[in-house]
Amino acid sequence: MILRRPMPGHVGVAALACAAIASDGYDLAIYGAAAPTLLHYSDWALTPSQVGAIASATVLGMCFGAVTAGVLADRLGVRRMFMVCIAWFSLAMIVCAFAPSPTTLGVARFVAGLGLGGVVPTAVTLTVTAAPYARRHFLNGIALSGLGVGGILATLSALAFLDDWGWRGVFFLGGVVPLVTVLPVAAARLGRWAPSSPPAGPARGDARPQLVQLTSGGRWRLLTVFTLITACCQILSLGLLTWLPEIMRTSGYSLGSALLFMLVYTVGSLVGASGGAWAADRVGARRAATAGLLITAAAILGLATHPPLPALYAFLFVAGAGVGVQPVIYGFVATCFPSALRAGAVGMVSGVGRVAGISGPLIGGFLIGRPAFVSFATFATFAVLGAVITALFTSNEVSDPDAVAAPVPTAV
């Protein structure tokens, strides 16, 4: 008789968080994969700028969702907000699939973004709080590697179904799957794997003291620096996720080849998320993030040279791996703030940072039709800027932020 060992709580939390965040990654990547189809959707006759604006509506919703869910999670319970966010964006994605007009699609994408934005801060908070200290970056990286998993699933779905189902079909798939798989598991198991949510903020029912706590004792400098780094990462990531297939298509590749390139890119981001988190536990989040962003910039510039196919695949993989550094940043934030403020801090950084990220799809739409070198060089610039800010204005996280009144890491 074989006895099945129960899954350790922290592993179960990380796995569930990964599955939820995969839905986030699917949503971001499926829009980029469907962008060429939307551009040629005869019923609407959209321009590249309009397609980019609809993508930015999603990011705008994610900004508000991240900040709101992060603050509410610290006051009302992280588990509860985690499940609310999953249900919210799943239902909104189904609405997107039936949008009768571009305006309706843009509104529905904004509403979906509210839920999507709340998934990351609640998932990161659950994972980091449940994880053993020595493995917190690694398990957080596993959870946030869901972005890459979702990107891979989106690309495979586009390759398999986009021609037959159209953009509506792949959007519908992205809403139904988490609603019938991830949400029921969270409702049934999360209470066992994470029996207690992080403590609520200092004044339940009044958000002002909590916001003061987030910005007191030098924390406002940390929030500002991490927000700037996240802004660079989001412009880079969202711009490439939205427009990489179209940039490659206008460079002379077929749509099928462009989607295959995106698959390689997203596989790279998956490897980069876990690999970067593994490195962060050993050399520190600051060094891991700085190195990842510099590697990204170099690989993106390599894409601009129109290299032979094997080198092109290599550059795409490495560029994706470098973009996967964003989980390291979120983990870095979480380890710098006490558990009572952790969801609010991650939500603030991810939400406000994504405000700048709105410009990523818009920048990409503006660059469509210009030489590929201009597009890739523009995005590489943001990777370099993020690396410089990380290297110059952060220091190592503290070992136990709950034991100190204010985080030791400073913005210098």
Side-chain angles (χ1 to χ4, degrees), residues 120-388:
V120 168
T122 53
V124 167
T125 301
L126 285 171
T127 303
V128 171
T129 303
Y133 171 74
R135 302 183 66 193
R136 55 187 180 171
H137 278 300
F138 177 71
L139 288 171
N140 184 58
I142 293 297
L144 284 165
S145 68
L147 290 170
V149 172
I152 293 170
L153 293 175
T155 307
L156 292 175
S157 297
L159 288 168
F161 306 123
L162 191 57
D163 287 341
D164 295 330
W165 294 3
W167 60 270
R168 295 183 186 275
V170 293
F171 280 10
F172 182 79
L173 187 65
V176 168
V177 171
L179 193 63
V180 301
T181 57
V182 181
L183 186 59
V185 174
R189 296 288 182 177
L190 194 54
R192 299 179 184 179
W193 291 335
S196 60
S197 291
R204 183 183 293 271
D206 185 356
R208 289 175 299 174
Q210 184 181 13
L211 294 177
V212 169
Q213 289 279 325
L214 277 172
T215 56
S216 65
R219 293 191 179 104
W220 69 269
R221 290 191 294 270
L222 274 174
L223 289 173
T224 301
V225 168
F226 282 129
T227 298
L228 290 174
I229 299 168
T230 299
C232 293
C233 293
Q234 291 295 321
I235 291 172
L236 171 65
S237 176
L238 295 174
L240 286 178
L241 278 174
T242 302
W243 289 113
L244 181 60
E246 184 64 15
I247 292 173
M248 302 306 291
R249 195 186 67 80
T250 56
S251 297
Y253 300 96
S254 67
L255 177 57
S257 296
L259 290 174
L260 184 58
F261 295 152
M262 188 172 180
L263 178 61
V264 174
Y265 173 83
T266 50
V267 170
S269 69
L270 172 61
V271 174
S274 15
W278 177 85
D281 275 330
R282 284 153 180 79
V283 302
R286 179 190 187 190
R287 292 178 180 176
T290 301
L293 287 167
L294 290 176
I295 290 170
T296 301
I300 292 174
L301 290 176
L303 293 173
T305 63
H306 214 288
L309 199 57
L312 178 63
Y313 283 126
F315 283 135
L316 284 166
F317 181 86
V318 174
V323 171
V325 77
Q326 182 66 72
V328 177
I329 301 299
Y330 289 149
F332 199 173
V333 176
T335 57
C336 288
F337 285 81
S339 56
L341 301 174
R342 192 166 287 155
V346 177
M348 191 77 68
V349 168
S350 63
V352 179
R354 275 173 166 161
V355 172
I358 294 172
S359 62
L362 296 176
I363 291 170
F366 175 77
L367 294 172
I368 292 298
R370 290 169 171 77
F373 175 81
V374 176
S375 300
F376 287 128
T378 300
F379 287 121
T381 300
F382 288 103
V384 173
L385 181 59
V388 170

Side-chain angles (χ1 to χ4, degrees), residues 16-71:
L16 185 60
C18 179
I21 293 173
S23 303
D24 188 334
Y26 179 97
D27 177 85
L28 293 173
I30 201 62
Y31 190 85
T37 304
L38 278 170
L39 281 173
H40 297 92
Y41 187 55
S42 58
D43 291 352
W44 291 353
L46 296 173
T47 66
S49 295
Q50 289 173 319
V51 173
I54 293 172
S56 294
T58 312
V59 182
L60 182 61
M62 294 172 79
C63 300
F64 288 106
V67 175
T68 303
V71 172

